[in-house]
């Protein structure tokens, strides 16, 4: 006999409390400040709760951590404890975790240290590096709610499957075998189909740099946690910008690889089996080198032997190195606007800074005048609503919980019948034609680049604004076009709101392109957004992961030496 | 004002006659023999209509032709004329062509000869090689009916698009730029969803070796034409066996690459946009080297720059060469039966011959005991009927023509509603899980192979019988599982019916596995099937084109030296 189900509010509260209860008392923040009292909880604010050693460890780049943990200079256990502590602080301040498994992580770290002590070598390229995972990853010992109250105590909403807290996604195994230490799973918006992170379990994931703002989504927990330096490297997923948006909004580097490059097998998902635009897995990191280490490590593990959708295409070190240190001039293209929404001035300034820095280093920069981006964005929306919202609705129905207000589009499409197989096929044909048109345009630039190649990468906004207010992230057009075309998308930070005093004045003079544009510019305010990260997107053709990893690292190096 | 449409019989007859009218009078066969009077129209029967030079040219392997046309020893024009002549004979005897464009081909060949004369070098690796194309390819100057009467005078069933006789599929351009001479488009079954080739325009494509039998399908025109030596190399497509079946039934080599390796962009298709199991393009050739030349040439052309679905994965010559001349023992697996239908004795004998030959050359051969093949075949059938037959029915409705009797499944599924988007997604999930199970099994063989690798290739039937009677090709299970899993499938000839006298006796003792098996064995008769080609399938993991091209060439070499 099953007992009557408790109200969703009770179930959510229990789950929320049980996660918090996994934080040791000594790591609790006694008097949590209100958002208004402490907008920025990064850096010095967090330092008060940490030891000097913990600060040193957690503010070390992933590549530098690895140089110590793989050579025995730092113990995996010490590194793990430091990041567990900082992650615990982060969660209390910005609500970024769904699952905490510090004890298992510390045990694993001790095992790694024992291995090193015995063999004098690391178990793999990620030996001793804590790695955070978006909640979609299944990890032994903890559950996966994906923000749905109805998934609590189940495996993807089903009870008694035998997989509960037992099954692991394929990438999890790869990371473990490489020596990574897994310790948390990070918050997501329920449905995953939002650019902000909110659900009825953890509430709203705040932006650590300015807690009035969103940390982005759907990998918003990853963005916030790494932004808080509570993780040196993490993995998210991206079907419309879900890696790149939180990376951009938290001043991180992010990679959206093309589909079928990295192993997605065994992750929980929304609308699983929708194959017109595939969600992809990819890294977020405080440094571009972290992204490369992540991708290289995974591809070295031959993921095509564990995930049937992964292409057998080994990591090409030479391609990466050629992009990292170009021997001849490259050609970039700049797209300052997609014609639907213009970026606000600090984003535009970032784009121009990247372009001028590249020109200063003898690279060519041309103007990008591609086929319609509106078409690409419309196609993504058609794909995301093929099932008329039935998958999402049935997930909410499990507990009768209400969807977040950001999912109002679900109400808009309710009542609309699901599309038929022949209509799914029509969308696939339209997507293929759009990809062909765009590819033809891209290849046609060979005549303009002077390199003998098509444009190497496109510099453009990732978002029109440096983040957004709560319920204010309205426009995913700058990220979703990359998914519609299955291109290689990267983001890199270029500054913060407030870097330039003229901004306020510039924004005041702005004339909108249309309703959406006006709404977004109206909601942006340099004072309210103070300190928010500004980022820029670098987009390469399909399956150009090595080239783009090299380029984003190269460009970020140039920006650092040309502030 | 559009005039009332003529009956489909009239339109089909006109189209049929107009194709025949493109055969010069001197190439007509005066008194066409009946099928019974001349079962076998290959070899000496055809020789009577050809000059010695034409026989020499058309019986030269594609690689040997290229060694002459790319070095100026043979003129492209002479080679082209010889194949045009033999193709014209083939069409009259086995009905294998939809479109004839000999004049354009001879002009193109003259252009190639002029180029060679001027520059002293070939235009590309296929300089002067005639290449035949399945009718799905769009080629300038001729139309694409795909066997539908309703497509005559249209572009894929639509009138006035501006693409009629003007548009070319991307692979066509690649072949032209490589120096190939295009001269015919070959017959297909309407809908493409049959393993025999029949439609209301050309009628039934006969097997040249035994005209009572089918040439296979859906690339049946390619199979018959190359089997008649009316083409040295051709391209078909394969969604359930459509390259491999005609290759097998005509004693040819065929490759079904994994999806997204070779460019499909711009081909006409059935159920376009159905993306759960993608149709793929691939070569058929009288020699395994021909397959390799085809694939290598296409990949050298960087097809990912013209087809957005093609993976950027250049041809790996070293991988091919390693498989072609293995330096250490390999491990093969044998699957003599899929448990649904057993192969008849000459096919079984072929499989055992391949296995024992490999063992004789120090390779290991183990038994293949994979996850259920029934599941894989059921999944393919679910995918092929997702739209409830609506695409096919609307194509037939354009002219009111009747479907071939082999399409009785269309009647079976009519009335069944189209599947919904969420049901398409369910099938995709089931396919992914099946691929994962099979991959896990394949990788698990690493423990048994002694090579440190999973099994290199699986030796199995491609069809349970050496072809089939008209309306008798009932079981595609041995080919379609490869499509469900998106593996690399190749076929190679291993003999003919009648090679072994004991066969009749063996078959008489056979006890069936079930109804389908019994039906297939009952319909097989070594006397009726006299001379029919026997073939074997070699299957590799996904995206193993270079390895499989090397292996099929290697194995075929061993078989020749161990008759």
């Amino acid at each position: 006999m099953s007992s009557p189900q408790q109200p969703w509010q009770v179930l959510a509260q229990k789950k929320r409390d049980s996660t918090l209860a996994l934080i040791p008392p000594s790591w609790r923040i006694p008097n949590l400040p209100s958002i208004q009292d402490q907008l920025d909880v990064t850096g010095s604010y967090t330092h008060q709760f940490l030891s000097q050693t913990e600060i040193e460890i957690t503010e070390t780049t992933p590549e530098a951590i690895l140089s110590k943990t793989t050579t025995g200079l730092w113990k995996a256990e010490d590194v793990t404890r430091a990041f567990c502590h900082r992650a615990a602080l982060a969660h209390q301040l910005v609500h970024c975790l769904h699952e905490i498994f510090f004890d298992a992580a510390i045990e694993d770290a001790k095992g790694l240290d024992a291995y090193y002590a015995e063999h004098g070598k690391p178990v793999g390229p990620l030996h001793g590096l804590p790695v955070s995972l978006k909640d979609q990853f299944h990890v032994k010992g903890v559950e996966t709610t994906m923000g749905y109250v109805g998934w609590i105590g189940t495996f993807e909403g089903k009870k008694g499957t035998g997989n509960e807290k037992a099954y692991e996604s394929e990438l999890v195994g790869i990371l473990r075998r490489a020596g990574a230490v897994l310790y948390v799973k990070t918050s997501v918006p329920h449905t995953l189909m939002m650019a902000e992170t909110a659900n009825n379990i953890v509430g709203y994931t705040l932006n650590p740099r300015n807690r009035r703002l969103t940390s982005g989504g759907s990998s918003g927990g990853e963005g916030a946690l790494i932004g808080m330096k509570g993780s040196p490297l993490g993995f998210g997923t991206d079907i419309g910008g879900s890696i790149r948006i939180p990376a951009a909004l938290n001043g991180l580097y992010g990679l959206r690889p093309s589909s079928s490059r990295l192993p997605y097998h065994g992750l929980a998902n929304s609308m699983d089996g929708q194959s017109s635009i595939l969600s992809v897995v990819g890294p977020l990191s405080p440094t571009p080198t972290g992204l490369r280490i992540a991708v290289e490590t995974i591809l070295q593990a031959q993921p095509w032997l564990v995930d049937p959708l992964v292409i057998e295409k080994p990591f090409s070190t030479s391609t990466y190195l050629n992009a990292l240190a170009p021997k001849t001039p490259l050609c970039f293209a700049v797209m300052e606007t997609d014609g639907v929404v213009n970026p606000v001035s600090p984003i535009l300034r970032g784009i121009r800074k990247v372009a001028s820095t590249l020109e200063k280093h003898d690279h060519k920069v041309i103007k990008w005048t591609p086929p319609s981006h509106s078409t690409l964005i419309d196609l993504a929306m058609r794909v995301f609503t093929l099932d008329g919202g039935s998958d999402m609705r049935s997930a909410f129905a499990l507990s009768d919980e209400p969807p977040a207000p950001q999912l109002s589009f679900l109400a808009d499409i309710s009542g609309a019948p699901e599309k038929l197989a022949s209509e799914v096929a029509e969308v696939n044909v339209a997507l293929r034609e759009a990809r062909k048109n765009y590819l033809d345009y891209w290849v046609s630039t060979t005549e303009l680049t002077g390199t003998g190649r098509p444009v190497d990468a496109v510099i453009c906004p990732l978002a029109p604004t440096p983040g957004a207010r709560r319920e204010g992230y309205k426009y995913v057009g700058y990220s979703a076009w990359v998914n519609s075309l299955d291109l290689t998308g990267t983001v890199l930070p270029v500054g913060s709101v407030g870097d330039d005093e003229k901004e306020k004045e510039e924004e005041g003079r702005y004339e909108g392109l249309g309703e959406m544009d006006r709404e977004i510019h109206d909601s942006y305010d340099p004072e309210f957004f103070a300190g928010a990260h500004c980022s820029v997107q670098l987009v390469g053709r399909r399956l150009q992961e090595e080239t783009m990893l090299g380029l984003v690292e190269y460009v970020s190096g140039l920006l650092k030496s040309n502030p």
Side-chain angles (χ1 to χ4, degrees), chain A residues 243-301:
Chain A
I243 289 170
R244 292 161 290 152
I245 294 167
L249 271 49
N250 290 284
L252 309 174
Y253 296 81
L255 169 71
R256 184 263 174 216
S258 288
S259 60
S260 300
R261 191 80 207 265
L262 299 184
Y264 205 98
H265 194 90
L267 268 73
N269 204 354
S270 283
M271 299 180 285
D272 191 20
Q274 178 284 99
S275 301
S276 302
I277 296 178
L278 283 172
S279 173
V280 300
V281 70
L284 299 86
S285 166
T287 65
T289 310
L291 301 181
R292 191 263 303 163
I293 290 170
V295 172
E296 188 175 14
T297 299
I298 295 168
L299 293 180
Q300 278 170 351

Side-chain angles (χ1 to χ4, degrees), chain A residues 113-170:
Chain A
D113 289 333
Y115 181 95
Y116 194 94
E118 189 182 340
H119 299 92
K121 62 174 188 184
V123 305
L126 300 184
H127 186 103
L129 187 73
V131 169
S132 52
L133 300 172
K134 189 178 186 178
D135 194 48
Q136 284 176 269
F137 288 86
H138 290 296
V139 173
K140 255 183 307 195
V142 292
E143 57 186 10
T144 300
T145 63
M146 230 168 66
Y148 288 128
V149 175
W151 281 29
I152 296 169
T154 73
F155 183 76
E156 300 183 358
K158 294 190 195 74
K159 285 184 183 171
T161 67
N163 284 328
E164 292 84 350
K165 299 193 180 184
Y167 178 79
E168 291 207 321
S169 309
E170 290 296 342

Side-chain angles (χ1 to χ4, degrees), chain A residues 439-457:
Chain A
L439 177 61
D440 284 349
Y441 168 69
W442 201 309
V443 171
S444 78
T445 62
T446 308
E447 290 180 17
L448 308 171
T449 57
T451 62
R453 295 185 307 275
V455 154
D456 292 299

